[in-house]
Amino acid sequence: MSGKLYIVSTPIGNLEDITLRALRILKEVDLIACEDTRTTGKLLSRYSIAKPLVSYHEHNEAEKSKELILQISGGKNIALVSDAGTPCVSDPGYRLVKLAYESGIEVLSIPGPSSAISALSVSGLPTSTFAFFGFPPRTKKHLTDFLIRIKSYPETLVFFESPNRVVKTLHAISEVFGNRRISLSREMTKLYEEAIRGSVSEVLDELERRGGVKGEVTIAVE
């Protein structure tokens, strides 16, 4: 009999944000596939879990997916985790899940933290419907074209962004969308967690006053 593939969500910052079920699954599986063995190793150490780890990231995803499917088909139960949050959401995993279904392998979700949902919940913007876009394009032209395409979306828009590109992205949002209300969340669940809310221009002024922003950023746009 083949094993199962578990998609296990892990903390996005605070290591206490992990479910009892996730801890049980991580203790029971035969192997844990993770982006960075050092990062996952810290989480496992925190909860006294000792399991074999294998590196699974965007650069080896295609090759590793086939290897992991072979192991699951041979009877092993494998958990897939990312460095933080829910695997497959702007993180590696899609190819593995797709291949598992094609191979007749059962895939189970072990839900938990997601920075997109966490940031949206404290944004103060409408949450009944929203659209998530992961990381927007990096180049000016592609970013502008992308924003023009989604400008008329009626939902709250949610993006990830790196701290070194967030100011440029906010300027682009201002140019295409106008001075909409936004919420910029950083360091979610960590010691210096905060959400900076206001119009795009107000948030840009605050970032300029601070000399930038540290930590990964999630932006929710009206």
Side-chain angles (χ1 to χ4, degrees):
M1 293 181 63
S2 67
K4 298 177 182 179
L5 173 63
Y6 295 91
I7 308 303
V8 182
S9 298
T10 56
I12 58 177
N14 192 317
L15 294 185
E16 294 179 0
D17 293 333
I18 188 164
T19 68
L20 295 175
R21 186 182 178 209
L23 291 174
R24 177 177 61 81
I25 293 298
L26 292 176
K27 291 177 182 178
E28 292 178 352
V29 294
D30 301 295
L31 179 69
I32 299 173
C34 54
E35 282 187 271
D36 189 322
T37 56
R38 294 166 298 181
T39 300
T40 301
K42 293 177 182 178
L43 174 65
L44 299 183
S45 177
R46 170 68 171 78
Y47 291 101
S48 302
I49 300 173
K51 286 291 176 179
L53 301 176
V54 61
S55 180
Y56 179 91
H57 49 73
E58 61 178 334
H59 302 297
N60 70 0
E61 187 174 3
E63 176 185 351
K64 283 293 183 180
S65 291
K66 297 176 183 178
E67 295 178 8
L68 293 174
I69 291 300
L70 285 175
Q71 294 189 61
I72 298 173
S73 298
K76 286 189 175 181
N77 292 311
I78 293 180
L80 173 67
V81 303
S82 60
D83 284 348
T86 302
C88 306
V89 181
S90 286
D91 277 328
Y94 156 73
R95 289 183 177 86
L96 179 59
V97 172
K98 181 174 181 290
L99 193 55
Y101 282 128
E102 292 172 351
S103 303
I105 291 170
E106 186 175 5
V107 181
L108 298 171
S109 170
I110 312 300
S114 167
S115 54
I117 299 300
S118 297
L120 178 66
S121 70
V122 298
S123 69
L125 297 174
T127 57
S128 57
T129 60
F130 67 95
F132 172 68
F133 298 97
F135 286 92
R138 296 187 180 189
T139 67
K140 172 70 173 179
K141 181 183 185 306
H142 289 157
L143 175 58
T144 300
D145 291 344
F146 164 72
L147 293 174
I148 290 173
R149 179 172 64 82
I150 66 172
K151 179 180 179 180
S152 61
Y153 277 38
E155 301 89 359
T156 296
L157 311 176
V158 182
F159 308 92
F160 289 155
E161 194 50 283
S162 68
N164 60 314
R165 290 198 303 270
V166 66
V167 170
K168 291 182 179 179
T169 297
L170 290 182
H171 277 296
I173 288 173
S174 178
E175 291 172 7
V176 177
F177 292 173
N179 200 26
R180 295 190 190 181
R181 289 187 302 153
I182 68 170
S183 174
L184 188 153
S185 296
R186 71 177 195 94
E187 298 289 88
M188 296 300 296
T189 78
K190 299 178 184 177
L191 181 61
Y192 298 106
E193 171 185 351
E194 67 173 334
I196 306 172
R197 305 177 186 87
S199 65
V200 180
S201 62
E202 289 171 338
V203 173
L204 279 169
D205 287 344
E206 176 62 19
L207 295 185
E208 182 179 0
R209 184 187 68 80
R210 299 183 181 197
V213 64
K214 295 181 180 179
E216 291 300 316
V217 170
T218 304
I219 305 168
V221 183
E222 181 181 32

